[in-house]
Amino acid sequence: MDIRLLRPSDIPLIQHANLENLPENYFLKYYLYHALSWPQLSYVAVDASRPKKTPYDYPKIVGYVLAKMEEEPADGVQHGHITSLSVMRTHRRLGIAEKLMRQSQLAMVETFSAHYVSLHVRVSNQAAIHLYQQTLAFSCERTEAKYYADGEDAFCMRLNLDEIR
Ligand code: ACO
């Protein structure tokens, strides 16, 4: 499995993965906005074992993390934000999400001197909550009521990045 930076040409495949894996979907231009504004922060996992049948064959993208810097942080502290993360069902529980997250967190510190990274997660999303809290050591800051379009609450989580600065 290769983890590499997101390229603008990957965006249709990322959008496909997002539609497959999450109810929160975005217009193509929102992905492009991330890729062009913070090209250092978003990564994809590519299944390198998949044979390329023609020179025009697309790589198989099995996971992505889409990330950004908060442009006008309310607390005045430079920090990153995870907009979306997903791994295809066929490739879950292999450590791909953890690797994608760690790459992005490192880039937030190295490129933008981020002090912390934040994200929202559905309160019912046990897999993602385990990844964020147990594996990556995020803490839950608060619950945001009815954050999602279907009325579900979100946990607002954050990870201090000062230790890896
Ligand atoms: N139940 C419990 N724990 C789980 C589960 C699960 N279903 N899946 C993974 N984990 C644990 C792993 O055991 C591992 O724990 P460990 O470090 O204690 O061994 C840890 O989570 C990390 O596992 P990875 O293999 O890195 O995770 P994976 O590549 O399978 O991806 C993800 C996890 C992204 C949550 C995946 O299940 C997925 O794509 N789900 C659908 C989309 C989604 O929910 N995305 C997150 C939304 S929040 C956001 O985007 C900001």
Side-chain angles (χ1 to χ4, degrees):
M1 198 65 51
D2 292 339
I3 305 282
R4 64 158 171 78
L5 278 170
L6 170 75
R7 300 174 190 143
S9 59
D10 297 324
I11 288 175
L13 294 164
I14 301 301
Q15 192 175 33
H16 168 72
N18 171 258
L19 285 164
E20 286 274 311
N21 295 321
L22 280 164
E24 289 70 49
N25 310 129
Y26 311 99
F27 290 115
L28 216 61
K29 65 181 180 189
Y30 193 54
Y31 295 92
L32 203 53
Y33 168 62
H34 281 72
L36 297 179
S37 307
W38 305 279
Q40 307 87 347
L41 300 187
S42 295
Y43 287 83
V44 293
V46 181
D47 185 352
S49 65
R50 180 176 182 254
K52 214 176 172 192
K53 292 181 186 135
T54 74
Y56 307 105
D57 209 0
Y58 286 107
K60 177 149 174 64
I61 294 203
V62 297
Y64 69 85
V65 60
L66 191 70
K68 62 177 192 158
M69 292 302 294
E70 211 57 77
E71 284 175 292
E72 289 174 7
D75 58 5
V77 180
Q78 181 80 335
H79 69 273
H81 184 78
I82 302 296
T83 300
S84 184
L85 166 77
S86 82
V87 172
M88 298 306 265
R89 281 181 196 284
T90 47
H91 288 71
R92 287 188 189 162
R93 302 199 88 147
L94 297 172
I96 294 174
E98 180 187 352
K99 286 200 186 89
L100 288 165
M101 287 291 295
R102 290 196 192 279
Q103 287 280 353
S104 183
Q105 289 167 195
L106 190 61
M108 285 173 187
V109 172
E110 288 183 345
T111 313
F112 296 105
S113 301
H115 289 273
Y116 68 89
V117 53
S118 64
L119 57 81
H120 293 97
V121 60
R122 285 177 179 267
V123 296
S124 65
N125 192 341
Q126 287 306 318
I129 291 168
H130 182 105
L131 164 73
Y132 298 138
Q133 286 193 309
Q134 312 303 323
T135 308
L136 296 168
F138 274 73
S139 55
C140 182
E141 293 288 296
R142 61 182 192 284
T143 304
E144 207 158 311
K146 298 187 178 13
Y147 176 81
Y148 293 100
D150 61 5
E152 186 168 348
D153 298 348
F155 288 138
C156 305
M157 293 196 176
R158 135 185 335 206
L159 176 68
N160 187 343
L161 296 175
D162 286 336
E163 281 152 32
I164 59 168
R165 288 162 71 81

